[in-house]
Amino acid sequence: MKYFWIQLLLIVGSVSMALVFIRTWGQAKNRAWKRIAFSAFVIVNVYAVLRPTDVTWLAQLLGVGRGTDLVLYVMVLAMGFLTLNTFLRFRSLEKKITDLARTVAINEGFRHNDERLDAGAVVAQPAAPDSAAGAEAEAGADSVKA
């Protein structure tokens, strides 16, 4: 009962994280191993809160000394993993956005080029020979052929 309130607060925090993760389960495109790892993390977290002497025992078994030091080292590794995961995800998204922008630019270029060629075909049709300039141009072309 000495640590009841802090244990309650930490367990409620862990369970809240788990509920948020489960609520967005369908939305999150996480791989199965990430889901399993997160679930294991929550379970280990609740166990460590309820039995802190076991964490100290494990730390001494591993040669760390104190349970709090072991928790700190594990959190540093977890933070490194999260940072690397976020970096790789952003890099993947940037590549997808770049590919999408290139595709849109190419499609827009084709569309503008087709519009330009269609408009040019209408303008480039020969003029009717009833105009004076057209008649002179035909007469000049006949004299060159002869």
Side-chain angles (χ1 to χ4, degrees):
M1 287 305 275
K2 184 178 177 182
Y3 304 108
F4 175 75
W5 293 109
I6 190 66
Q7 286 177 330
L8 181 66
L9 179 68
L10 292 172
I11 290 172
V12 167
S14 295
V15 171
S16 298
M17 283 192 311
L19 289 176
V20 168
F21 189 74
I22 290 170
R23 259 187 41 198
T24 60
W25 195 280
Q27 298 170 0
K29 303 280 186 198
N30 292 330
R31 295 190 172 170
W33 67 270
K34 288 182 185 178
R35 293 176 182 171
I36 292 169
F38 185 78
S39 300
F41 170 76
V42 171
I43 291 168
V44 168
N45 190 18
V46 169
Y47 180 81
V49 168
L50 293 174
R51 308 273 315 231
T53 55
D54 290 352
V55 178
T56 302
W57 174 82
L58 181 63
Q60 290 173 350
L61 184 70
L62 295 173
V64 174
R66 298 183 310 165
T68 55
D69 292 339
L70 178 63
V71 170
L72 175 66
Y73 299 151
V74 169
M75 295 316 298
V76 167
L77 287 175
M79 188 63 184
F81 169 77
L82 290 174
T83 303
L84 180 62
N85 188 37
T86 302
F87 169 74
L88 293 174
R89 185 175 299 180
F90 279 144
R91 191 167 73 175
S92 172
L93 288 174
E94 287 174 355
K95 184 183 179 320
K96 288 177 184 177
I97 290 171
T98 301
D99 291 345
L100 180 64
R102 286 179 182 158
T103 302
V104 169
I106 289 169
N107 288 339
E108 286 295 310
F110 281 140
R111 188 177 64 82
H112 287 303
N113 194 36
D114 288 345
E115 288 175 0
R116 185 180 56 92
L117 290 176
D118 289 342
V122 172
V123 172
Q125 289 179 352
D130 58 300
S131 69
E136 290 175 12
E138 283 184 23
D142 290 338
S143 64
V144 170
K145 289 181 185 176

